[in-house]
Amino acid sequence: SSGINAEYGDLDIEEYEAHKKLFWDVIYKTDWSESWLVAVETFHVLIFCLVILCHRASWHGLSGLIFLSLLALMYSAKHLNTLAAERYQTFATEQYFDSNGLFISLIVLFPCSINCILFIISWLLQSWNLMADIKSRQVRYAASQGEKKQD
C-alpha cells in the first residue's frame, strides 16, 4: 500500500488528496460576502489589531484576557459547530457546518490559533526585553559599585 508515514499512522495518498480537495472546495464554494461571515472576518481582524496594540502598549492584563477568551472560544468550537449546524437557517444561506468541523476550524479555530500564537510571541519578546533590561541595570550597578570602592 502506498502511504505516508505520519505521526498518527499511515495516511493514504488518495485520502490525503481527498482531504486537500475538500479543504479547497470549502474555501472556494463559501460565499464570503454573507453578513455573518463578514462579521466573523471583522472579529478576527479586530482581534489581530488588539494583539498588535496590546504588544505595543504593553497591556498585559488585556492581552491575557483576550488570550483566555480565544482559548475558551476554541474550546467550545465543537459545541458551537453543533449548535450552528442545527440553526444555520437563521443566519446563513447554506449549511456550512459539517460533522467533522472543517468549516468552523477554518473560520474560527485557525484564526484564533494564529492570534494566540502571536500573543505568545509578544509575551516572549517582552520577557526577552525585560531580561535584557534587568541585566544591563545589573551591569551598570556593578560598575558603579566598583567605582565607589576605588574612591
Side-chain angles (χ1 to χ4, degrees):
S1 87
S2 65
I4 300 172
N5 189 5
E7 183 176 337
Y8 299 104
D10 288 336
L11 179 62
D12 193 4
I13 297 290
E14 291 84 22
E15 188 178 349
Y16 169 75
E17 291 297 327
H19 286 294
K20 190 167 82 171
K21 182 183 180 318
L22 180 62
F23 171 81
W24 289 112
D25 282 351
V26 168
I27 296 294
Y28 290 126
K29 292 181 180 177
T30 300
D31 180 9
W32 296 102
S33 64
E34 286 194 48
S35 60
W36 72 276
L37 281 171
V38 171
V40 170
E41 295 161 10
T42 304
F43 167 78
H44 290 304
V45 169
L46 176 66
I47 294 296
F48 177 76
C49 292
L50 283 172
V51 170
I52 301 301
L53 184 63
C54 286
H55 174 74
R56 292 186 181 247
S58 296
W59 292 343
H60 306 296
L62 181 61
S63 65
L65 180 66
I66 295 169
F67 180 79
L68 291 175
S69 299
L70 290 175
L71 291 180
L73 178 62
M74 292 189 313
Y75 180 76
S76 63
K78 184 176 181 179
H79 178 70
L80 289 173
N81 187 58
T82 304
L83 193 63
E86 293 170 356
R87 300 196 175 117
Y88 77 93
Q89 300 94 344
T90 59
F91 61 90
T93 58
E94 293 190 39
Q95 168 56 294
Y96 294 112
F97 303 95
D98 60 328
S99 60
N100 294 326
L102 176 63
F103 187 72
I104 201 152
S105 295
L106 288 174
I107 67 162
V108 175
L109 295 177
F110 181 71
C112 286
S113 298
I114 296 298
N115 283 321
C116 284
I117 290 169
L118 291 175
F119 270 126
I120 292 169
I121 290 170
S122 169
W123 294 333
L124 289 173
L125 288 172
Q126 290 171 356
S127 297
W128 175 272
N129 290 335
L130 184 61
M131 288 189 301
D133 185 45
I134 289 171
K135 190 61 180 174
S136 67
R137 288 177 187 212
Q138 286 175 340
V139 169
R140 282 190 301 235
Y141 179 76
S144 70
Q145 292 299 335
E147 290 175 5
K148 286 182 181 178
K149 286 182 182 178
Q150 289 177 355
D151 291 338

